[in-house]
Amino acid sequence: MHFDAAPQGSLAHIVFAHGLDQTDSSRDLVTIFCAVHTGDSSDIYRADAGGHHKKVFTIESSSPLLGLYWYTSKRQLVSVSRTGELFLHGEDEGQDRWQQLVRLKIGGGAAPDGPALMVAWVRGQTLASATGRDDAVRMYDLDTEDNYILRIGEDVSSDIPTTICCLSYSAATATLAAGTPTGRVALWRTSQVDPSDALTQTSPMQYLDIDPSMQWVRQRCLKVSGRVDRTGTTLHICQQGVLQRGACPPLLAAQLSSHAVAVESMSGAATIRINANLQIRGLSLSATHLLVNSHTAAELYDLSITPPQVALSLTGPQSPAPLLQGQLLFRAEGSSIEVCNMAGTPEQTLTIPEVDGQAALLEATQQFLFVLTDTGRLCIWSLGGGEAKPYGAAGRPVDLPPDLTVVSMRCNCDGTKVSLLTKQAQSSQQAQAQELFVYDLQTGTISTCSFGDGAGLTTPQQHFWDAEHPLLLACELAKAGMAHGASRGGRGEEGGLEVAMMFATPQGIVLQDCSALPPCQV
């Protein structure tokens, strides 16, 4: 596309107008709208893939446009200026003429010399806005004309007032994100992707009583770390995920951020902070070493040196994730498993029978190495003696529902039980499995524990066995709270964590206790 006669002024925004041309003859046409800033006004042009363009209307505003959005369901244009003015334009039916339908001041609009205004177009019908004045994200639903507020909340670890410096929305995951200058990121996920669904299930009067902020489920607030370039600018790249933990008495390891891990001793020694040179996706701990890995690299740190030093760097795909056990390092690729020393030198190679598939997950105790294959079979090797040897029947089938994929595996202290955490094989992030499976190697039976209560979003995230008791199992649960509501006094609960303590008995999994952890303040 090319403007043969370039309009005067600076081109500021371009937006695709999906669904504007709906005739068969125009099915393959691409229609866009462009905003060109000229002095005290912004000219809006309509153009197509053939290079045809024309000015359709002018927005009189003292400041340039901050955002231009296509309101698909109404086939209208939404414009927002830097001073917080919202404009809504629509085309007259049967006439090739656009007119202004709405002009209003949105809450939190910034003055020319005040905090910068940030906006995001949410779910194709709602304008989210925020400024550097406070911690509020102001939501204006153009369909229902509802106004409500989502708040990040106070940062108790900082003396700096909580304000918002950036705002973004992901249509793919229906998630709204707001960040602060101190590096906090709050995430909200909509629990109702299409509000029109509610109108078909309830009467109009019932729907009017629903607090619109209750459609947003507050996710955990997270802290991100940045890398400073030579200009002093900090770039934050975030991905929502579970912070990794590990234990090898007397040492404990906990991931602090995308690149940092804290290692502490139960004896009360000073905590050691390790800053890795990769984005941590997994960790493994022994009495003398810490292994961290991303998808494409791994680093082995020697904890006997102060400060800890990188003893070994691995490159290439790290799937399945490498594993530490004592003074052994296990690496798997395809149907081969290398048993290496701390220098990374292979001392033995184990082979999975072709009929059992390829390695998908690794786990080990002092006595056994467990390998779960991509065909759902569990292969076991005994680690006693000088060499690893096959233990029992190779390739034991683990019969789980076919629509589930195992994402993590843990074994108990005596190697008699294996716990498996799963997710839906083809699901989105909003449809996580709510079950934990325990496979008994002695009986070949599988026990199931379900954490869903039918009302909340409680899902298991991590699971650990006791270091001494072979039946005691702990599971970390994520339980999301609801967003802060403003228009009708919505709930203000923060999403937090719970820990469930269970016994894996021969008769099944028995829930012993479930306690809530206070929300993490970052």
Side-chain angles (χ1 to χ4, degrees):
M1 183 181 296
H2 177 71
F3 283 131
D4 293 329
Q8 297 296 320
S10 58
L11 183 64
H13 299 281
I14 298 177
V15 63
F16 284 92
H18 299 290
L20 180 60
D21 296 307
Q22 298 179 337
T23 63
D24 291 338
S25 61
S26 61
R27 181 177 302 168
D28 297 329
L29 291 180
V30 175
T31 302
I32 66 170
F33 286 90
C34 309
V36 178
H37 183 62
T38 55
D40 293 335
S41 63
S42 293
D43 296 330
I44 308 300
Y45 287 80
R46 175 174 175 173
D48 59 33
H52 307 98
H53 67 277
K54 66 176 181 179
K55 185 171 73 173
V56 290
F57 59 88
T58 298
I59 297 176
E60 300 293 340
S61 177
S62 59
S63 65
L65 291 186
L66 180 63
L68 182 67
Y69 308 102
W70 179 243
Y71 192 179
T72 303
S73 62
K74 300 297 178 72
R75 300 173 67 189
Q76 297 169 350
L77 271 175
V78 179
S79 313
V80 183
S81 72
R82 295 185 183 275
T83 53
E85 288 183 293
L86 183 147
F87 304 88
L88 183 65
H89 288 80
E91 187 177 22
D92 289 340
E93 292 188 10
Q95 303 182 31
D96 189 15
R97 184 169 62 88
W98 287 72
Q99 64 176 348
Q100 180 176 294
L101 305 176
V102 173
R103 179 174 182 171
L104 55 86
K105 188 81 169 179
I106 61 176
D113 56 349
L117 177 68
M118 295 147 281
V119 294
W121 185 237
V122 176
R123 300 194 306 181
Q125 66 183 58
T126 301
L127 186 73
S129 64
T131 72
R133 291 192 179 98
D134 52 32
D135 69 335
V137 179
R138 294 166 175 83
M139 311 289 285
Y140 176 54
D141 191 320
L142 275 70
D143 267 7
T144 63
E145 298 186 359
D146 278 323
N147 286 276
Y148 55 98
I149 290 177
L150 309 177
R151 290 190 180 275
I152 292 182
E154 181 183 2
D155 183 0
V156 298
S157 65
S158 174
D159 296 331
I160 303 175
T162 300
T163 58
I164 295 175
C165 64
C166 51
L167 189 67
S168 184
Y169 177 72
S170 167
T173 61
T175 301
L176 179 67
T180 73
T182 58
R184 296 175 72 215
V185 177
L187 303 174
W188 294 271
R189 179 171 293 155
T190 178
S191 59
Q192 182 179 303
V193 176
D194 187 357
S196 63
D197 293 342
L199 293 175
T200 63
Q201 298 170 9
T202 61
S203 68
M205 291 304 295
Q206 288 174 322
Y207 185 70
L208 290 176
D209 292 335
I210 299 175
D211 184 348
S213 69
M214 301 297 284
Q215 298 175 5
W216 292 90
V217 178
R218 173 66 179 271
Q219 310 294 301
R220 282 183 295 162
C221 195
L222 54 100
K223 187 86 170 183
V224 299
S225 60
R227 306 235 169 171
V228 182
D229 63 18
R230 65 186 64 183
T231 65
T233 302
T234 303
L235 173 66
H236 298 280
I237 302 177
C238 312
Q239 179 168 343
Q240 189 178 2
V242 177
L243 296 179
Q244 303 296 315
R245 295 179 177 88
C248 181
L251 297 182
L252 301 172
Q255 183 181 355
L256 303 176
S257 67
S258 59
H259 294 79
V261 176
V263 179
E264 61 179 322
S265 174
M266 299 178 187
S267 63
T271 299
I272 301 171
R273 180 187 175 103
I274 296 176
N275 295 311
N277 300 305
L278 49 79
Q279 188 166 357
I280 300 171
R281 300 296 187 192
L283 64 82
S284 184
L285 182 67
S286 73
T288 57
H289 290 79
L290 171 70
L291 177 67
V292 294
N293 70 275
S294 66
H295 294 312
T296 58
E299 292 178 344
L300 180 66
Y301 287 84
D302 188 345
L303 302 179
S304 64
I305 303 174
T306 304
Q309 301 292 324
V310 177
L312 177 66
S313 294
L314 305 174
T315 58
Q318 304 296 317
S319 180
L323 176 70
L324 272 183
Q325 175 54 51
Q327 294 298 306
L328 297 178
L329 169 64
F330 298 95
R331 300 181 63 191
E333 182 177 356
S335 59
S336 297
I337 303 165
E338 290 184 344
V339 184
C340 306
N341 57 27
M342 292 296 96
T345 304
E347 296 184 342
Q348 186 181 358
T349 300
L350 311 178
T351 302
I352 301 173
E354 183 177 354
V355 67
D356 291 332
Q358 299 184 347
L361 291 171
L362 306 179
E363 177 64 342
T365 65
Q366 291 183 355
Q367 298 86 14
F368 301 102
L369 169 67
F370 298 86
V371 179
L372 185 69
T373 69
D374 55 4
T375 60
R377 304 181 77 87
L378 189 63
C379 300
I380 308 173
W381 283 265
S382 172
L383 300 180
E387 290 188 346
K389 299 178 180 179
Y391 181 81
R396 304 184 187 196
V398 181
D399 296 324
L400 298 179
D403 61 333
L404 297 182
T405 297
V406 180
V407 294
S408 66
M409 175 176 64
R410 297 284 186 268
C411 56
N412 66 351
C413 59
D414 64 0
T416 58
K417 298 181 185 296
V418 172
S419 56
L420 306 166
L421 191 59
T422 64
K423 71 174 183 179
Q424 296 289 336
Q426 302 297 329
S427 70
S428 67
Q429 294 181 0
Q430 293 176 317
Q432 296 291 328
Q434 293 182 319
E435 292 180 330
L436 178 73
F437 297 90
V438 173
Y439 176 70
D440 191 316
L441 279 78
Q442 295 176 326
T443 64
T445 58
I446 295 178
S447 302
T448 305
C449 184
S450 178
F451 299 97
D453 58 8
L457 293 177
T458 303
T459 58
Q461 297 202 108
Q462 299 190 79
H463 50 126
F464 306 93
W465 290 90
D466 188 83
E468 298 178 352
H469 199 301
L471 301 182
L472 185 56
L473 174 66
C475 188
E476 178 187 278
L477 309 174
K479 186 173 184 179
M482 300 302 293
H484 293 269
S487 56
R488 299 177 183 87
R491 294 168 56 191
E493 301 174 0
E494 292 274 2
L497 294 177
E498 294 180 344
V499 175
M501 305 298 296
M502 298 166 286
F503 280 101
T505 70
Q507 292 74 35
I509 302 175
V510 179
L511 180 63
Q512 181 74 10
D513 183 41
C514 190
S515 58
L517 294 178
C520 178
Q521 299 293 341
V522 295

